[in-house]
Amino acid sequence: MHKALGEVQDALEAQEQMIEDLRTDTGDAQRTDPDPVSLPADPTSREPLSSLTAREREILVLVSQGKSNRRVASSLGISEKTVRNHLSAVFSKVGASDRTQAVVMGIRGGIVSIGE
């Protein structure tokens, strides 16, 4: 049981690092390029995102900042279980299979901005 939990934690940390790397790479590109090219928001990617509640959007933004469920829960004053429930709802509504994919969809849909 502890081994499985450790593997899950390692996977979450790897995803969080990928998100942070994406944020850093984009931030570096924006600093070095005086006229950065921004990705156009895909109108079809906004449709599923429009069904997200304000709290689900808030959690998606915090996750995009590389925060773990525990840190998101602490920031919002809610339980980790509630964060997991909200993330499950986000995944279901936007058709994402994990937090990284949900964040990418949030970026493309204009809910999540990189570099802030």
Side-chain angles (χ1 to χ4, degrees):
M1 178 77 146
H2 290 288
K3 181 179 177 183
L5 289 174
E7 290 173 359
V8 168
Q9 183 65 33
D10 290 344
L12 283 174
E13 288 172 1
Q15 285 184 339
E16 289 170 1
Q17 186 60 49
M18 287 183 348
I19 292 169
E20 185 59 35
D21 291 346
L22 177 63
R23 293 174 59 85
T24 301
D25 291 345
T26 302
D28 290 345
Q30 289 176 347
R31 281 189 291 275
T32 59
D33 187 357
D35 187 22
V37 176
S38 61
L39 294 174
D42 180 1
T44 58
S45 67
R46 291 182 187 264
E47 292 171 16
L49 295 170
S50 66
S51 65
L52 297 180
T53 65
R55 179 62 90 176
E56 290 165 351
R57 289 170 182 254
E58 188 174 20
I59 288 173
L60 184 58
V61 168
L62 291 171
V63 166
S64 76
Q65 295 169 354
K67 294 187 184 219
S68 65
N69 289 355
R70 178 172 287 163
R71 288 184 182 156
V72 171
S74 177
S75 296
L76 299 176
I78 59 178
S79 72
E80 283 185 69
K81 173 72 171 139
T82 302
V83 172
R84 287 193 304 270
N85 290 341
H86 282 303
L87 283 173
S88 291
V90 169
F91 298 163
S92 176
K93 289 178 180 180
V94 303
S97 58
D98 59 35
R99 56 201 296 132
T100 304
Q101 189 176 19
V103 168
V104 169
M105 293 176 81
I107 292 168
R108 289 183 178 156
I111 289 177
V112 175
S113 57
I114 298 176
E116 288 186 10

